[in-house]
Amino acid sequence: MTVSRLKPFGETIFAEMSALAVKHQAINLGQGFPDADGPSSMLDAACAAINGGRNQYPPGLGVPELRTAVAAHQARHYGLHYDPDTEVLITVGATEAIAGAVVGLVEPGSEVVLIEPYYDSYAATVAMAGAVRRTVPMVADGDGFRLDRTRLAEAFGPKTTAIIVNSPHNPTGTVLGTDDLQAIADLCIEHDVIVIADEVYEHLLFDGRTHTSIATLPGMRERTVRISSAAKTFNCTGWKVGWLSGPPELVVGARSAKQFMSFVGSGPFQPAVAHALNHEMDWVAESAASLQRKRDLISGALAEAGFVVHRSEATYFVCADPRPLGYDDAATLCRELPAKIGVAAVPISAFVDDPQPWRHLVRFAFAKNDESLIEGARRLARL
Ligand SMILES: *Cc1c(COP(=O)(O)O)cnc(C)c1O
């Protein structure tokens, strides 16, 4: 009975792989959420909010202390100044921020550029808005990835309204270079296009890299909806506290849609996330350092097992190429892995419109406890 515009988004490969992982008691390196809790003072703040009676609808824009904390955080880290009363909106996770921005700012029939591979909610959200997606592939560059800038320029036309840019990038772990960000910015200014910037991994960069928000490039603040979330920064994916910031006219558009999606959400978790943004950034730095060690552990194990391992510069993810092991179809390999060696992973083809250039690549998630990773590495060695 599903409506035609949502039919293509019915069954996800994530559900299939997680079911296989359960069935075969596999180490699940497919799912992209951490298995450790966030900072304890943040958990305490949430309990205090619940016990302190903050259990009713929060204000439509989000609780003032979180909007203030979000604005202060962006001023501190990026020199981006947003008015917490008119330029910040708290959402039910980054997912709702993306949906609110797309549904509230993109006209039906107009085009949204996506960079492929892309996070699965983007295409579904564009379809819900009745808009059309134009995908631009990333391309392999040494052991990493970069944008295909020729294809990027070709994707912009008179109908283009928005581009969704995700850096640091899930699923490849790529941090887009400032040259790639500038190329996007130049096209957006030339064609009067807005950027929906999904920056949920803004703090999880490795090897001394630092995050650049596309909103900081000249001429971009006024056309960028910057989106982030507590989920990945503070290991609380179940709380669904996200936010967007941008100029008032873009925030108003996103809010028009958001207020009729959920109205509001995550009441007692909002003050807890405000506390974490104000007081727990050292915890986040340690979390990123720990993820870097986990990346090294799993990347080493994959290389040892015979995969060609791509460079993961950030996020929870690393991509690996199993062709030296005799597998040129990652989806087939991922369906076999749980039964064969007791490890689950997801094929990158789950994140693309055109699977051909990606069909060999597998995504492994490493935001797992060390015992699971070490056991996963031991099992991978059996391949
Ligand atoms: C996890 C993730 C999200 C969703 O964030 P929530 O705050 O849980 O809604 C959005 N974008 C990317 C790239 C992600 O990896």
Side-chain angles (χ1 to χ4, degrees):
M1 276 298 287
T2 309
V3 293
S4 59
R5 70 185 188 285
L6 293 181
K7 273 239 174 68
F9 308 104
E11 255 298 289
T12 76
I13 192 134
F14 304 98
E16 183 188 349
M17 294 307 159
S18 286
L20 280 176
V22 171
K23 181 170 170 203
H24 297 286
Q25 295 177 351
I27 305 277
N28 195 344
L29 305 181
Q31 58 196 186
F33 58 81
D35 60 10
D37 275 332
S40 61
S41 75
M42 178 184 81
L43 307 180
D44 290 343
C47 293
I50 290 171
N51 291 321
R54 302 189 68 174
N55 300 302
Q56 310 310 325
Y57 296 129
L61 288 177
V63 301
E65 70 253 55
L66 180 54
R67 284 186 277 120
T68 303
V70 165
H73 167 270
Q74 295 178 85
R76 224 163 45 233
H77 288 270
Y78 310 117
L80 283 169
H81 296 275
Y82 293 103
D83 178 344
D85 293 327
T86 57
E87 298 188 309
V88 176
L89 175 67
I90 307 305
T91 56
V92 180
T95 307
E96 192 192 50
I98 294 158
V102 171
V103 174
L105 296 168
V106 174
E107 292 288 354
S110 66
E111 294 179 359
V112 178
V113 178
L114 303 184
I115 294 164
E116 183 169 275
Y118 54 78
Y119 186 66
D120 59 349
S121 84
Y122 301 168
T125 297
V126 170
M128 285 184 216
V132 177
R133 69 178 183 274
R134 295 284 304 265
T135 53
V136 175
M138 294 173 82
V139 286
D141 180 23
D143 66 349
F145 298 91
R146 61 174 170 75
L147 276 184
D148 183 336
R149 288 201 217 142
T150 310
R151 294 278 297 275
L152 180 72
E154 286 166 3
F156 279 71
K159 289 187 168 172
T160 313
T161 311
I163 178 171
I164 305 183
V165 178
N166 170 221
S167 179
H169 183 251
N170 173 10
T172 63
T174 302
V175 176
L176 287 182
T178 39
D179 50 346
D180 277 342
L181 293 178
Q182 189 62 56
I184 296 169
D186 290 345
L187 285 162
C188 288
I189 291 169
E190 184 189 333
H191 294 269
D192 194 19
V193 163
I194 62 169
V195 176
I196 298 169
D198 177 350
E199 302 182 3
V200 299
Y201 296 101
E202 61 184 315
H203 291 295
L204 305 182
L205 282 72
F206 310 138
D207 311 309
R209 290 183 179 81
T210 53
H211 176 63
T212 301
S213 174
I214 192 166
T216 62
L217 300 188
M220 291 309 288
R221 184 195 182 283
E222 58 259 45
R223 59 177 66 253
T224 301
V225 178
R226 202 188 94 83
I227 291 171
S228 194
S229 161
K232 312 297 164 58
T233 300
F234 297 115
N235 287 16
C236 56
T237 58
W239 285 11
K240 297 300 292 189
V241 178
W243 51 86
L244 60 82
S245 45
E249 62 278 15
L250 296 185
V251 172
V252 164
R255 187 189 176 192
S256 306
K258 179 262 185 294
Q259 68 188 338
F260 299 116
M261 291 173 169
S262 62
F263 175 41
V264 292
S266 313
F269 301 119
Q270 292 191 24
V273 169
H275 167 86
L277 281 171
N278 290 332
H279 301 292
E280 290 290 1
M281 293 314 292
D282 288 346
W283 182 95
V284 176
E286 286 199 7
S287 171
S290 154
L291 280 169
Q292 181 177 320
R293 288 192 296 275
K294 292 173 191 295
R295 174 208 60 181
D296 292 343
L297 195 163
I298 205 69
S299 301
L302 287 165
E304 195 87 341
F307 288 82
V308 174
V309 182
H310 283 268
R311 184 173 74 232
S312 164
E313 304 172 331
T315 75
Y316 291 169
F317 309 109
V318 61
C319 285
D321 175 357
R323 284 178 296 187
L325 292 161
Y327 291 93
D328 60 5
D329 186 87
T332 306
L333 174 64
C334 289
R335 286 196 179 92
E336 285 178 23
L337 273 184
K340 194 167 180 162
I341 60 166
V343 171
V346 292
I348 297 290
S349 57
F351 303 84
V352 303
D353 288 347
D354 174 15
Q356 204 45 44
W358 303 97
R359 63 188 286 271
H360 58 286
L361 278 178
V362 185
R363 187 193 80 171
F364 291 88
F366 51 77
K368 306 290 158 189
N369 65 54
D370 284 348
E371 300 81 84
S372 299
L373 284 180
I374 290 164
E375 177 58 22
R378 209 177 56 77
R379 295 181 183 188
L380 282 166
R382 292 193 212 134
L383 254 188

